[in-house]
Amino acid sequence: MNRVIKRAVILFGIFAAALLAYFFLSGRDSGKEQVVYVDMGEASLPAVSVEMFGRKTNPMAGYVQEVDNRAAGNSLTVLPEDRALAVLIEKGGDAVTGISYEIRTMDRERLIERTVLEQWEENGEELRAVLPIQNLLNREQEYLLRLDLNTEKHGIVHYYTRILWTENEGVSAMLDLAVDFSARTFDYEQAKELTTYLETSSAEDNSSFGTATIRSSFSHLTWGDLGMQPAGQVQVTLKELDGIMSCVQLSYLAERKNGEDETEYYQVEENFTMKWNSLRIYLMDYDRQVNQIFQGKQTDYTGKRILLGITRDERVEVKKSPDGNVLAYRTNRDLWSYDQKEQRGARVFSFRSSDITDPRNYYGQHDVSILSVADSGDVDFLVYGYMNRGNHEGSMGIVGYHYDSGQNALEELYYIPYTGSYETLEDDLQQLVYRNEQGMLYLYVDHAIYGIDLKSRENIVVADALEEGCYAVSADRSRIAWQEGGSRYDSESLSLMDLNTGEKREIRGDSGKYVRVLGFVGSDLVYGTADREDVWMVNGRVRDLPMESIRIINAQMQEETSYEKPGYYISEVQVEESRIHLSRVSKTGGSYIEAQPDTIVCNVSMGPGELEGIGWYASADKGKLYFVQLSQEIRSTRNVRISVPRKIRDSESDILELKSNYQVKKLEFYAYSGGHLQKITTDFSEAMQKAYEKMGVVTDGNHRILWSRVNRGTVKNIKDPVSVFALVERQLENFSASCILEDGLMILDARGCSMQQLLYFIDQNMPVLGFTENGSYLLLCGFDQYNVTVYDPASGETYKAGLNDSTEFFRRRGNDFICAVRLQ
């Protein structure tokens, strides 16, 4: 009995001591924030696709926010003849309680139809719904379809696709060809039937399996000795359809076994541009991009290298801590880090989950930007674009993260919403992302530069309404310069800002002078000065503002050098590393003629390049392989430890709204080719040249095609070109830049395009105006394989001229054209 009592007293004492310790520690920490961590969670939004020509196509990402046409127009769905469109819905981790849809014109100005579905079919995890689209559509006109799903967890989720009701007979065959072509590349014997589509060239670079084109060798196209095979489903997307032209994109995972019998995974994207006629399909352009999924296996860490494998330059980046020991590296949209002394690695951020084959996890519409790496191993970075999973699943935007190496945990710091597409956001952020040591973050988004104080979360507009050619950013992103007033050819001052110190200085031209920002050599600003009387006007439009001098100033605002030659003007400047290439003209009366070009060579440090810390070597079977270069030898591969932060700090991050006071009013043109956005510019000619390189198209901001390289017949004659062109002709006296008239006619300044490039407009039943001399012009109103039909308004005569001779005729006169297109 005494023993029992004694044991009870001891246990009571232990319990009392534990209770006192609990209350003591709780009281000591009562004033501190209680940190709670949560898992990112699996992707849970429903996945939607359509049935098109009996095939599951056009996978659509779900958005929990409204997005603009730059993000919404990612795919094109061809409607069946009865317009009853079947959509397939994989519920994923959420239940669907309601389905509705609406159809609008591409500019969203007019609502065509809004319908709520009363019933749909359910088969396990998949739903099948038929949209009974009404007979309110015009044939051969694209519209925007938004499908809305009511879900239990996420509320209303939006899915977008462009739709087209067409009698085009070749679409199904072109989709079939793309899928069959891709499948045959994995079988050497079956692939022999593809040779008729190839344009193999000995000049093509076959060193890397990261890229294959229509000009690649047959061995390269068929994966060489890799032993590659597809893994999982192939996602098929119809990107464009313009008459006889289509662009089809395939996206899928591939796999192979390496020498250690381990499975390697690769993300593959193939883009096909095709041309159809009743006899056959022509493959106009083909591009395959391959990026290995870095898995952080111990065998990837060897010698002084971290092997990243098959990829491409733009998919890799590395930054070091101040002491050089810790590296953060981006590869294939994932972020990793490595501590060389501790031989410890971490997969800092990735949207991939344990199911690597789930398409929602490898949806490639996001990327990572590394801001800083600390000696402690902490990393600050941005994730921007579409959020595949996590707190902002289904949103477009920019998320700021902090990785705590000691806790092996992520903390979300702030979220910046965005309504455009990933590709437009990527294009902007490639202009400027920079964080200084004082905690100021600078971003270029939608023609404005913002400064964000990461301590107070306040943001300011540093500069806005920035037009193309009116601003520049140094190579290390630490200095920016822009012309005040926003216009390229009539700015009296420019601003120069050091982003490390926040110091801003103004540079003004002398009385009667304009200034122009031309770029940076290293961190030295290059700018030009011009007399306002020297504006070069040709046929009523500004062609250029030739500059009389070029000046280069350093960070201390001291002039390093200047360039000025009597009798010569600088019309164009290209800055390439330490060389400044000058295109020059001389003035004769009121016009300019080309003169001998010149070059300025600068003695300035250019700093590290884009691939600093990244190397590559040639493998016998895998070709060009990329790696992260280490400064310390890995002592033992077996001792390398890899961790994954499976938790995110659960605290409400700040939502930052970036709002500019002014918007650029000029029309913007979007050059697409190879399934991707290549260029955004206010210069139609520049957009066309960019799209021309790879058989692409030029669209407006509502994804309406303005020009296509492929969709053009061989013969066309406009019956009454004078009447057709009458509306444009009435605008010529006041025409100064590309614009849209009230009746939906878009007039395009096509100066700089070649005559043959503009035959597309004639094929679309719209004459092309070509200036000759002294404001006179000719109307091009027809063509065949050998000639162009010309109407001379001065004489009223119509005649034919050779294609090559006419092309040269207009080239010698500056290729000065005006075109027009009717918007749907």
Side-chain angles (χ1 to χ4, degrees):
M1 184 68 179
N2 289 336
R3 183 180 299 176
V4 173
I5 294 174
K6 187 175 181 180
R7 183 178 298 175
V9 170
I10 292 172
L11 291 174
F12 178 78
I14 294 173
F15 172 75
L19 196 62
L20 287 171
Y22 169 78
F23 283 114
F24 172 74
L25 293 174
S26 297
R28 188 178 65 176
D29 294 338
S30 60
K32 293 185 177 181
E33 178 185 2
Q34 298 299 306
V35 179
V36 179
Y37 292 95
V38 297
D39 187 81
M40 179 183 285
E42 298 292 323
S44 58
L45 287 178
V48 175
S49 57
V50 302
E51 282 185 2
M52 190 163 62
F53 303 109
R55 185 188 301 278
K56 185 178 181 180
T57 56
N58 290 356
M60 291 174 264
Y63 291 91
V64 296
Q65 66 184 102
E66 187 75 35
V67 295
D68 65 26
N69 283 8
R70 294 174 296 176
N74 195 43
S75 66
L76 175 63
T77 297
V78 174
L79 299 178
E81 183 58 30
D82 62 0
R83 302 172 311 283
L85 178 63
V87 297
L88 305 174
I89 305 167
E90 297 177 28
K91 291 184 290 185
D94 206 350
V96 177
T97 60
I99 303 175
S100 62
Y101 68 91
E102 74 170 36
I103 299 172
R104 291 183 175 272
T105 52
M106 285 304 299
D107 58 9
R108 303 201 190 191
E109 293 295 320
R110 188 160 62 93
L111 175 66
I112 306 299
E113 179 186 351
R114 181 181 288 134
T115 300
V116 177
L117 296 189
E118 299 296 335
Q119 58 183 10
W120 52 84
E121 300 173 8
E122 185 167 358
N123 182 16
E125 285 298 306
E126 185 173 86
L127 306 179
R128 185 179 186 274
V130 177
L131 311 186
I133 297 174
Q134 301 175 34
N135 188 14
L136 301 173
L137 308 181
N138 295 326
R139 283 191 182 271
E140 312 306 330
Q141 179 176 336
E142 290 187 12
Y143 297 87
L144 184 64
L145 168 70
R146 190 187 75 192
L147 178 72
D148 292 340
L149 302 185
N150 291 339
T151 66
E152 287 186 351
K153 295 180 181 178
H154 298 90
I156 298 178
V157 185
H158 308 299
Y159 298 81
Y160 300 87
T161 182
R162 291 145 38 228
I163 59 173
L164 179 67
W165 190 27
T166 178
E167 296 179 346
N168 193 316
E169 301 175 5
V171 189
S172 178
M174 288 188 278
L175 286 170
D176 291 342
L177 174 60
V179 174
D180 181 66
F181 186 105
S182 176
R184 288 179 183 273
T185 62
F186 293 97
D187 187 301
Y188 188 87
E189 291 301 319
Q190 291 188 21
K192 291 179 180 178
E193 297 186 18
L194 303 179
T195 55
T196 183
Y197 297 106
L198 303 180
E199 300 174 5
T200 300
S201 169
S202 59
E204 186 73 359
D205 182 5
N206 294 298
S207 64
S208 172
F209 284 103
T211 300
T213 73
I214 197 172
R215 294 169 296 280
S216 295
S217 68
F218 184 74
S219 174
H220 193 78
L221 180 72
T222 52
W223 303 97
D225 296 325
L226 286 177
M228 195 80 78
Q229 290 298 319
Q233 61 179 314
V234 177
Q235 295 190 305
V236 183
T237 301
L238 177 62
K239 304 287 287 186
E240 304 289 351
L241 179 64
D242 184 31
I244 59 175
M245 181 278 293
S246 79
C247 181
V248 178
Q249 183 179 92
L250 306 186
S251 178
Y252 56 92
L253 284 184
E255 63 181 13
R256 68 179 292 270
K257 295 289 186 180
N258 64 17
E260 288 75 31
D261 201 34
E262 299 172 326
T263 302
E264 298 174 348
Y265 289 98
Y266 297 78
Q267 281 185 250
V268 184
E269 181 185 287
E270 296 178 275
N271 286 282
F272 301 79
T273 301
M274 291 168 281
K275 180 179 180 179
W276 174 90
N277 67 27
S278 58
L279 298 177
R280 60 165 294 184
I281 297 173
Y282 298 88
L283 185 59
M284 307 302 293
D285 191 65
Y286 170 75
D287 179 80
R288 183 176 72 199
Q289 299 179 356
V290 181
N291 293 285
Q292 187 168 349
I293 297 175
F294 179 72
Q295 296 174 272
K297 298 176 181 178
Q298 288 186 327
T299 51
D300 294 327
Y301 298 81
T302 176
K304 287 188 175 183
R305 297 172 176 174
I306 303 175
L307 304 179
L308 305 180
I310 296 172
T311 185
R312 294 169 295 121
D313 286 3
E314 63 270 25
R315 295 261 59 90
V316 290
E317 174 195 15
V318 64
K319 285 192 176 181
K320 299 178 181 179
S321 61
D323 65 3
N325 175 55
V326 180
L327 298 90
Y329 53 99
R330 171 180 63 88
T331 177
N332 197 12
R333 308 184 198 279
D334 298 338
L335 179 62
W336 293 73
S337 70
Y338 182 70
D339 186 314
Q340 299 184 79
K341 291 180 180 177
E342 299 295 328
Q343 293 197 167
R344 184 177 69 247
R347 190 179 77 173
V348 175
F349 182 89
S350 176
F351 278 138
R352 307 181 204 281
S353 67
S354 55
D355 183 5
I356 201 169
T357 63
D358 186 342
R360 292 175 300 179
N361 293 333
Y362 64 79
Y363 180 60
Q365 294 294 298
H366 73 278
D367 212 336
V368 174
S369 179
I370 307 168
L371 298 178
S372 65
V373 186
D375 292 338
S376 63
D378 291 3
V379 183
D380 287 322
F381 61 98
L382 303 178
V383 176
Y384 61 90
Y386 180 82
M387 303 297 154
N388 298 32
R389 46 195 283 242
N391 289 344
H392 304 286
E393 182 181 359
S395 298
M396 285 291 300
I398 305 169
V399 182
Y401 283 106
H402 174 75
Y403 171 63
D404 187 319
S405 177
Q407 294 288 330
N408 190 30
L410 288 176
E411 179 181 4
E412 180 182 316
L413 304 176
Y414 49 89
Y415 169 66
I416 303 171
Y418 183 73
T419 59
S421 71
Y422 159 67
E423 289 187 315
T424 55
L425 181 59
E426 180 186 42
D427 187 71
D428 281 352
L429 295 183
Q430 284 180 347
Q431 304 291 319
L432 177 64
V433 173
Y434 188 79
R435 198 190 78 167
N436 66 22
E437 295 182 357
Q438 289 73 43
M440 284 294 295
L441 174 67
Y442 294 93
L443 305 174
Y444 178 90
V445 178
D446 281 343
H447 301 288
I449 295 175
Y450 298 90
I452 303 171
D453 188 331
L454 298 181
K455 298 175 183 176
S456 66
R457 303 294 197 264
E458 295 178 347
N459 68 82
I460 60 171
V461 179
V462 176
D464 57 9
L466 296 176
E467 289 189 14
E468 186 180 7
C470 296
Y471 67 93
V473 182
S474 64
D476 66 357
R477 305 294 191 264
S478 68
R479 303 185 84 203
I480 57 175
W482 66 95
Q483 293 173 202
E484 297 292 351
S487 181
R488 183 183 297 191
Y489 299 125
D490 60 2
S491 181
E492 297 180 348
S493 67
L494 63 86
S495 293
L496 174 62
M497 187 170 177
D498 186 324
L499 301 186
N500 285 319
T501 64
E503 183 180 10
K504 175 183 171 183
R505 297 191 181 184
E506 183 183 54
I507 299 174
R508 299 190 66 87
D510 296 333
S511 178
K513 304 291 185 182
Y514 288 143
V515 291
R516 291 179 59 183
V517 171
L518 301 174
F520 283 88
V521 176
S523 60
D524 294 345
L525 173 66
V526 183
Y527 74 97
T529 64
D531 195 302
R532 63 179 62 189
E533 302 298 326
D534 289 331
V535 174
W536 189 359
M537 300 291 295
V538 178
N539 296 321
R541 290 120 64 215
V542 176
R543 175 166 178 173
D544 202 351
L545 177 62
M547 296 162 284
E548 57 192 13
S549 69
I550 301 293
R551 305 190 181 194
I552 304 174
I553 59 173
N554 60 25
Q556 290 74 42
M557 296 297 290
Q558 299 169 336
E559 186 173 298
E560 291 283 352
T561 187
S562 63
Y563 178 96
E564 188 171 356
K565 297 286 179 71
Y568 290 96
Y569 296 82
I570 301 99
S571 60
E572 198 173 314
V573 174
Q574 287 186 331
V575 179
E576 293 181 357
E577 296 187 341
S578 62
R579 292 177 176 268
I580 305 172
H581 301 285
L582 310 176
S583 297
R584 302 191 303 172
V585 294
S586 58
K587 195 171 185 179
T588 304
S591 62
Y592 295 86
I593 59 173
E594 290 185 9
Q596 192 73 17
D598 205 350
T599 299
I600 303 174
V601 179
C602 304
N603 183 19
V604 61
S605 174
M606 300 305 298
E610 293 290 332
L611 290 179
E612 181 76 13
I614 298 289
W616 64 270
Y617 68 94
S619 164
D621 58 342
K622 296 179 68 176
K624 186 176 182 178
L625 298 181
Y626 288 77
F627 60 84
V628 175
Q629 182 67 63
L630 304 178
S631 58
Q632 299 182 33
E633 187 89 22
I634 295 175
R635 298 182 296 277
S636 172
T637 295
R638 293 182 179 181
N639 292 336
V640 175
R641 292 168 293 155
I642 308 298
S643 62
V644 178
R646 300 187 180 276
K647 51 188 180 179
I648 301 176
R649 186 170 179 174
D650 186 23
S651 60
E652 286 194 18
S653 63
D654 292 313
I655 298 179
L656 308 181
E657 297 282 350
L658 301 185
K659 292 184 178 180
S660 172
N661 297 321
Y662 302 97
Q663 296 296 322
V664 173
K665 296 179 181 180
K666 288 185 178 180
L667 291 178
E668 287 190 316
F669 305 103
Y670 295 72
Y672 289 92
S673 62
H676 291 281
L677 176 67
Q678 303 295 334
K679 180 75 175 178
I680 305 173
T681 175
T682 56
D683 186 335
F684 174 74
S685 175
E686 186 176 356
M688 180 189 287
Q689 305 309 329
K690 198 67 178 178
Y692 187 85
E693 296 171 9
K694 289 180 64 63
M695 301 291 176
V697 299
V698 176
T699 77
D700 67 357
N702 292 317
H703 214 101
R704 294 175 293 199
I705 292 178
L706 307 178
W707 177 87
S708 168
R709 179 174 177 183
V710 175
N711 182 31
R712 176 168 67 80
T714 56
V715 178
K716 179 69 177 184
N717 277 294
I718 301 173
K719 292 182 179 179
D720 188 359
V722 177
S723 298
V724 175
F725 205 72
L727 186 58
V728 177
E729 188 177 31
R730 289 196 291 269
Q731 308 297 321
L732 291 181
E733 185 176 347
N734 299 316
F735 180 70
S736 60
S738 300
C739 62
I740 300 177
L741 303 182
E742 291 182 359
D743 66 347
L745 188 71
M746 180 183 287
I747 306 181
L748 301 169
D749 183 349
R751 178 186 285 154
C753 302
S754 73
M755 187 204 74
Q756 294 214 33
Q757 290 174 329
L758 300 177
L759 298 182
Y760 171 84
F761 294 96
I762 301 175
D763 194 57
Q764 300 297 308
N765 208 47
M766 186 61 68
V768 172
L769 181 152
F771 285 100
T772 54
E773 295 94 8
N774 303 320
S776 61
Y777 61 87
L778 301 172
L779 284 185
L780 310 179
C781 53
F783 63 87
D784 57 28
Q785 291 178 304
Y786 307 104
N787 300 298
V788 61
T789 304
V790 182
Y791 171 76
D792 186 345
S795 65
E797 178 187 4
T798 300
Y799 59 91
K800 288 190 175 183
L803 276 176
N804 293 334
D805 291 342
S806 299
T807 299
E808 179 63 17
F809 173 85
F810 285 107
R811 187 197 67 80
R812 292 199 306 267
R813 288 157 178 80
N815 275 338
D816 197 356
F817 298 100
I818 293 178
C819 306
V821 59
R822 291 198 177 277
L823 301 176
Q824 296 177 344

